Amino acid sequence: MTPEMKGFLLLSVLKMLFVFTVVMIGVAMLTLMERKVSAWMQNRLGPNRVGWAGLLQPAADGVKNILKEETYPAQANKWLFLLAPAMSFIPALLLSAVIPFAAPLPVDFDFTLGPLGRFVHHGLMPMVVADVPVGFLFVLAISSMGVYGIALAGWSSNSKYALLGGLRASAQMISYEVAMGLSLIPVLLMSGDVSFGAIIRSQQAGLWYVLPLFLSFFIFLVSGFAETNRLPFDLPEAESELIAGYHTEYSAMKFSFFFIAEYANVVTVCAMVTTLFFGGWDIPGRWDEQGGVLQTLATGGFFFLKLMFWIFFVMWIRWTLPRFRYDQLMTLGWKVLMPLALVYIMVICTAIYLIQHVAGITDPRLSALILFGVNIVLGILVFGLLDSGLFIKGAASRRPQTFEVPG
Amino acid sequence: MTAVVFWVFAAAAVLGATLCVLNRNPVASAMWLMSTMFSLAAIFFLLGAELIGILQILVYVGAIMVVFLFVIMLLNLTRATTDLRGSGSIGATVVIIGLLLIELLTLWRYTPARLAADLAQAPTLSDPATVFAAGELSRHETAVRGVVGGLAGPLFQVYLVPFEITSVLLLTALVGAVVLAKRRL
């Protein structure tokens, strides 16, 4: 093994440890954050007994879950029942490996470490565990694996509530994967590459994609909510009708694994929104493009801020909107978001062709601004139609029922 | 190093496929088939075909196998009983397996060098040797045009007509399935 390869391996291991630790601690703290945010929105106090302001609550929950009794339902398929939490947990954690979280850091070292030999690294180190060339396709592929955990949990529990939850989850996740994949095609058209690094560079040169590709962002965000099974789309675990859906029969740490997976998925979706539509670690302006340790720290901090905003947004939505009905969910996925994404791809294709080949504008910022103008018009049209109840009919649009009062 | 990784994934693929066929529990079968798909994707990655590998996971593992699993759960199949009864079906099985074995043995003799020589001698629609010359050109294309461009170039420029014909075929199958499944259109 060459010294360069050893240096690369050493850095990779360090990055893995860092990202894994941050994600695991972050997920634990998110459970506390969710409870605090919900308490704040409902004018309560939330957990405040364990540790200062309830900061040790996640640790207490963890200890409780480890000490609880592991139960197995009668007649359950034991191996699949055990496999299910792992199948939802592993893909969720795997995804954090491909999201770049800061500007590349210049690392130079050349040292010898006893029997391990010489370690060498020169040049920029990308601040991502695995800089895969397939970029966001990797995220789409691995996140689509998450449905196995839920479907298996539902099937192997041998319980009707769990089975219904598992069926709902798989139908919902397949449906919204389509819209999610289609909503990312405009991003590909703008950047010309699927890798996260290229997408961030392209956003630095032009504008953050949320402006020129606003509808894509909207479709992606809505599908992201559905993919992570969060309210308003948490039908797989709808507690008022299915008890707890697919994890009804799970107890102790196996139950907790589903929760860790859910929060890790929320982190991934928020990181994807940040990276694809809000410039990733990019800070607006030019001063952050000088390189160096300071740049890495500042961009990392800024990425964290954006990520936290979107995580807060997810919680905000959860405690604001009521749950969709199942037919409304399917109508939204197949009859609204998917056609919308298809039409949007055509509009963006035409607009990019007109801007680059007919008008001959090559400046990325100017063409992004023109696309932003197109999006304002489209946005007014789309949201005007969506809001008028044409596609999704709520209870208000149905004929009011009248009752005869006898006597 | 690459060879070791290849043999690990190849063995996993074969093991998964075997267990998929031998398992009585349909859900477990589906899970083994999924692990086979995953190993195949890893082998694509080893070949430097990252996009095809990731599409293998995205399409087969992420969509098609989920639909399989969904149908199995919906029909609530618990234990499969074998349809292979009687001498007729066993004879048919033996014939099919024998044919597959002959196919495999023929492929065994196909070394990369012979494949390249055959492709170079037979110019077709557009010479595939220009695309597949020992992987060098595809690697070069990937470096120049990115992961997607390296595949999209041949697919949408050189092989556009076969690609469109395939998509029409799939569309026909889709329409046919809907017509067969719906009693009243």
Side-chain angles (χ1 to χ4, degrees), chain A residues 77 80 83 87 94 132-134 137-138 140-142 144-145 147-148 150-152 154-155 163 166-168 170-171 174 177 188 192-194, chain B residues 25-28 31 34 38 45 50-51 54-55 57-58 60-67 69-70 72-74 76-78 145-148:
Chain A
N77 187 322
L80 291 177
L83 186 67
M87 287 287 290
L94 209 56
V132 284
V134 282
L137 290 176
F138 180 87
L140 287 184
I142 302 296
S144 68
M145 299 269 305
V147 68
Y148 281 103
I150 295 176
L152 275 185
W155 187 82
L163 182 67
L167 283 177
R168 278 186 182 185
S170 29
I174 296 172
E177 240 162 55
L188 187 55
D193 201 340
V194 282
Chain B
N25 184 342
V27 174
M31 295 313 291
M34 187 203 90
F38 225 85
F45 266 86
E50 282 104 346
L51 186 68
I54 210 75
L55 287 182
I57 299 180
L58 195 63
Y60 286 94
V61 180
I64 293 181
M65 287 310 299
V66 175
V67 175
L69 201 64
F70 187 72
I72 292 170
M73 282 164 59
L74 208 61
N76 203 13
L77 303 172
T78 41
R145 308 172 63 167
V147 191
V148 181

Side-chain angles (χ1 to χ4, degrees), chain A residues 199-215:
Chain A
I199 289 171
I200 292 174
R201 269 195 302 282
S202 151
Q203 293 184 75
Q204 280 175 325
L207 288 175
W208 288 1
Y209 284 166
V210 64
L211 296 178
L213 302 174
F214 182 73
L215 284 185

Side-chain angles (χ1 to χ4, degrees), chain B residues 12-158:
Chain B
V14 172
L15 182 77
T18 317
L19 283 171
C20 166
V21 177
L22 295 181
N23 224 308
R24 280 287 167 91
N25 184 342
V27 174
S29 262
M31 295 313 291
W32 282 116
L33 188 54
M34 187 203 90
S35 85
T36 306
M37 302 288 187
F38 225 85
S39 311
L40 291 182
I43 293 174
F44 277 125
F45 266 86
L46 277 183
L47 287 172
E50 282 104 346
L51 186 68
I52 297 185
I54 210 75
L55 287 182
Q56 169 95 8
I57 299 180
L58 195 63
V59 174
Y60 286 94
V61 180
I64 293 181
M65 287 310 299
V66 175
V67 175
F68 277 17
L69 201 64
F70 187 72
V71 171
I72 292 170
M73 282 164 59
L74 208 61
L75 297 177
N76 203 13
L77 303 172
T78 41
R79 275 224 172 290
T81 48
T82 174
D83 294 329
L84 287 177
R85 292 230 173 79
S87 54
S89 49
I90 289 178
T93 318
V94 170
V95 169
I96 291 171
I97 291 177
L99 283 175
L100 286 174
L101 212 63
I102 292 170
E103 239 178 80
L104 263 182
L105 287 178
T106 321
L107 282 177
W108 186 270
R109 294 170 49 219
Y110 245 91
T111 55
R114 190 177 155 190
L115 187 65
D118 278 9
L119 286 174
Q121 278 170 6
T124 49
L125 183 66
S126 137
D127 198 355
T130 58
V131 185
F132 296 118
E136 280 311 310
L137 205 77
S138 68
R139 241 169 237 135
H140 173 73
E141 281 283 292
T142 309
V144 174
R145 308 172 63 167
V147 191
V148 181
L151 182 78
L155 198 60
F156 287 102
Q157 287 164 354
V158 185

